[in-house]
Amino acid sequence: MPDNKRKWRILIPDNPDETIKCALYDLYGIVDSYLTYPLAVSEASHTDPAACGENLIIIGTSKDNARIKEIAGSGQFILPSEAEGYSIQVSSSPYDNDCRMIIICGADPAGLLYAVHAFDLRYLRDKCRYYGYHYNHRFRPFVDDLPDWQYLSAPKIARRGIWTWGHVIYDYRAFFYNMSRLGMNHIIIWNDFAPLNAAEVIAEAHRRAIKIYWGFSCSWGEKVDPNNQDDVIKWTRRVIEVYSSQYARLDIDGVYFQAFTETAEKTIGSRSIASLVADWANVICAGLRAVYPQLDIEFGVHATSIGESYAELAKIDPEIAVMWEDCGDFPYYYDPARQNQSKAAIDYTRRLASLHGSSTRFAAVLKGFTVLNWSKFEHYHGAIVLGELQREYIERRAAEKRFTWNYARPYWYTGAELLREYFDTVVNSSAREVTITALIEDGCFEYHIDPAAILFASLMWDYNQDTSELIRLSEHCAEGNIL
């Protein structure tokens, strides 16, 4: 019987957790949009696939869906094995030759979530969209017979995400949804005060397998004398007080601090900034962790004030992730057109990623996308409600940001090979952990994912992919992705 005479059904694992539910709901919305009838869902353990006579989409992890294990056990499906990896297969059903079957399997719940969106972006939006396009009718997924496809993938970089101010996240649910689509799992959100709805924001991020690190001031933007021991003690107490009063009650993943390194000067008084910031980070972070020993900390420094004195930062406790900014040209520089000295920036990165040898927790904030309008910046005068703005405002704001995205995009294309080399450098360093974030602030990322951001995320996920093919894929997938 032809494929378009059989209806589709999703088979899910028993008792799915919140991230698996998230993957299911995302997949349901994707598939149902192609159908003319309501899509049915049932538990795999309570459905006989040989008797139902339907096309099936079987989703789950390699551990929680009996049907996936059954098909893999017969040698007809390859299970994913690496953390957050996934395996997708479109083929004839082994239960009924007249039916089609799609298996979307994650090595874990996060992997399943990423698999759903890889299926959407790489298969439905790209392969199916252009399947027979130039010599046949426009292909109709889930109505016409789906072409065979198999795709296995896993991330090269463990912690992948975005750095942003909280007040320019206009819709946090859509923001995190788009992070899921790009396989991102880490976000740093800077606020002067913890948002009133921080608990709800954290819960939504965790549903989408995203860890949130909350940024707040550790002297950034204020007068400080790191040579003065009283200042160090004052700021240590203030950091502990802010964390205790605003964040300790929350289901928090970690915190982010930034100190006094955002300058072109290399010394303060008679000491190098590199040496001072190392001592400053150790004292403040040790004070905080004495009270909260399980708290994970990322500490931001700017290479503009560190320069060739970077070895001084080897004194920082290796349990603190040092997050580097402004280490030279693309991909560190605000203007992505500056690529003449990118090789030097990559070489500098190679040295930074080995500061503690195999104990190094290397982290970086890459730039060249959208940024705040600093001429209109002001600190909050109280706590905000994060990411609850109306869609009409977001649409207007997104239209204003198109100029910046349109400017940046071609330089990310020309810099794609440099970006690949950068990722290869940090992954193959001696660092035990790598965290890469992109500064995407006030870019209406929740409204529209620009092709440049898709390219960045795709290379961060797996930098061994062909860059010209990724550019083509990024442009195809970006069309019509407005939420």
Side-chain angles (χ1 to χ4, degrees):
M1 184 179 291
D3 179 52
N4 61 7
K5 298 298 184 183
R6 304 287 186 113
K7 290 187 175 180
W8 285 88
R9 175 181 296 272
I10 301 179
L11 300 185
I12 65 172
D14 298 344
N15 304 312
D17 71 9
E18 288 302 309
T19 301
I20 292 178
K21 287 180 184 177
C22 215
L24 167 63
Y25 301 157
D26 288 356
L27 179 66
Y28 193 96
I30 291 164
V31 175
D32 193 62
S33 66
Y34 292 98
L35 302 177
T36 59
Y37 53 86
L39 180 62
V41 180
S42 59
E43 293 179 341
S45 62
H46 298 155
T47 304
D48 182 352
C52 73
E54 294 178 314
N55 301 305
L56 299 174
I57 305 174
I58 307 178
I59 72 166
T61 72
S62 52
K63 300 181 178 66
D64 62 14
N65 192 310
R67 298 304 176 192
I68 293 177
K69 287 192 272 188
E70 180 179 75
I71 297 169
S74 67
Q76 298 178 78
F77 180 72
I78 301 173
L79 292 172
S81 58
E82 300 179 57
E84 297 190 344
Y86 55 79
S87 180
I88 308 169
Q89 182 171 298
V90 182
S91 64
S92 296
S93 172
Y95 302 107
D96 185 336
N97 289 332
D98 291 326
C99 291
R100 300 294 283 168
M101 176 174 288
I102 300 167
I103 302 176
I104 302 176
C105 177
D108 43 43
L112 177 62
L113 186 59
Y114 305 143
V116 164
H117 292 287
F119 174 71
D120 179 32
L121 296 175
R122 291 180 174 269
Y123 185 71
L124 296 177
R125 290 177 180 265
D126 189 58
K127 184 175 180 62
C128 288
R129 183 177 183 184
Y130 297 99
Y131 184 64
Y133 182 80
H134 294 293
Y135 58 87
N136 204 343
H137 63 280
R138 185 182 291 271
F139 186 81
R140 300 167 299 169
F142 302 101
V143 176
D144 296 326
D145 197 14
L146 291 171
D148 287 354
W149 191 61
Q150 187 175 44
Y151 191 73
L152 285 80
S153 191
K156 300 289 187 187
I157 294 173
R159 294 151 67 103
R160 313 165 300 278
I162 290 174
W163 197 110
T164 181
W165 289 79
H167 69 282
V168 289
I169 294 178
Y170 301 125
D171 180 338
Y172 71 86
R173 298 172 189 85
F175 200 101
F176 296 154
Y177 175 80
N178 276 350
M179 287 183 67
S180 294
R181 296 174 76 188
L182 299 187
M184 292 180 172
N185 62 3
H186 193 87
I187 189 168
I188 301 166
I189 303 178
W190 181 289
N191 298 278
D192 290 315
F193 304 90
L196 290 176
N197 59 337
E200 292 90 340
V201 172
I202 291 170
E204 180 64 17
H206 289 173
R207 286 182 66 238
R208 294 202 164 273
I210 297 168
K211 292 186 176 181
I212 295 187
Y213 281 58
W214 296 96
F216 59 89
S217 183
C218 174
S219 79
W220 181 85
E222 302 195 41
K223 289 183 178 180
V224 60
D225 180 4
N227 284 296
N228 186 329
Q229 191 60 27
D230 288 342
D231 256 19
V232 177
I233 294 171
K234 178 186 76 173
W235 278 102
T236 301
R237 288 173 176 167
R238 187 180 299 186
V239 164
I240 294 171
E241 190 278 326
V242 170
Y243 182 80
S244 298
S245 63
Q246 298 186 36
Y247 294 96
R249 62 182 174 79
L250 301 170
D251 184 16
I252 196 168
D253 297 298
V255 293
Y256 169 91
F257 300 128
Q258 191 179 111
F260 44 81
T261 61
E262 198 169 6
T263 175
E265 300 296 324
K266 298 294 191 295
T267 60
I268 298 176
S270 61
R271 291 185 63 188
S272 71
I273 288 179
S275 178
L276 286 168
V277 78
D279 292 345
W280 183 275
N282 279 336
V283 172
I284 291 179
C285 295
L288 184 59
R289 293 183 68 180
V291 184
Y292 302 100
Q294 301 305 312
L295 182 63
D296 196 31
I297 300 173
E298 296 177 337
F299 197 91
V301 297
H302 298 78
T304 48
S305 61
I306 305 300
E308 291 304 314
S309 299
Y310 63 87
E312 293 277 3
L313 272 75
K315 296 187 299 184
I316 294 181
D317 181 351
E319 289 306 307
I320 299 170
V322 178
M323 181 161 279
W324 290 90
E325 293 185 51
D326 301 341
C327 296
D329 282 6
F330 179 88
Y332 287 107
Y333 200 67
Y334 278 108
D335 186 347
R338 248 181 64 168
Q339 299 182 8
N340 290 338
Q341 299 298 317
S342 291
K343 293 284 189 179
I346 293 170
D347 181 65
Y348 188 69
T349 299
R350 184 177 291 107
R351 289 175 277 159
L352 300 180
S354 302
L355 272 177
H356 288 106
S358 59
S359 298
T360 304
R361 296 183 67 195
F362 175 79
V365 180
L366 305 186
K367 299 177 180 178
F369 289 121
T370 52
V371 296
L372 289 179
N373 181 347
W374 286 99
S375 67
K376 297 183 178 180
F377 174 80
E378 61 180 63
H379 285 285
Y380 311 174
H381 60 272
I384 66 168
V385 174
L386 190 150
E388 292 284 7
L389 275 76
Q390 293 184 338
R391 181 180 175 87
E392 290 78 7
Y393 173 83
I394 301 172
E395 289 175 348
R396 292 196 306 271
R397 192 68 180 144
E400 295 169 2
K401 303 306 293 188
R402 293 318 305 160
F403 172 84
T404 307
W405 283 112
N406 290 340
Y407 170 80
R409 188 182 314 119
Y411 297 110
W412 283 89
Y413 290 175
T414 60
E417 287 298 327
L418 291 168
L419 194 62
R420 180 218 292 276
E421 184 178 350
Y422 176 87
F423 290 145
D424 181 69
T425 296
V426 296
V427 168
N428 289 300
S429 69
S430 59
R432 67 178 169 93
E433 176 188 274
V434 174
T435 302
I436 301 295
T437 62
L439 186 75
I440 300 179
E441 50 185 9
D442 203 8
C444 291
F445 176 81
E446 58 268 72
Y447 182 75
H448 181 268
I449 310 176
D450 191 84
I454 297 175
L455 174 65
F456 163 79
S458 298
L459 282 171
M460 183 165 55
W461 176 274
D462 182 1
Y463 57 84
N464 287 326
Q465 299 175 86
D466 179 76
T467 54
S468 60
E469 172 62 14
L470 280 181
I471 290 170
R472 182 199 65 78
L473 181 68
S474 298
E475 294 206 332
H476 286 176
C477 291
E479 293 178 18
N481 74 10
I482 293 173
L483 296 178

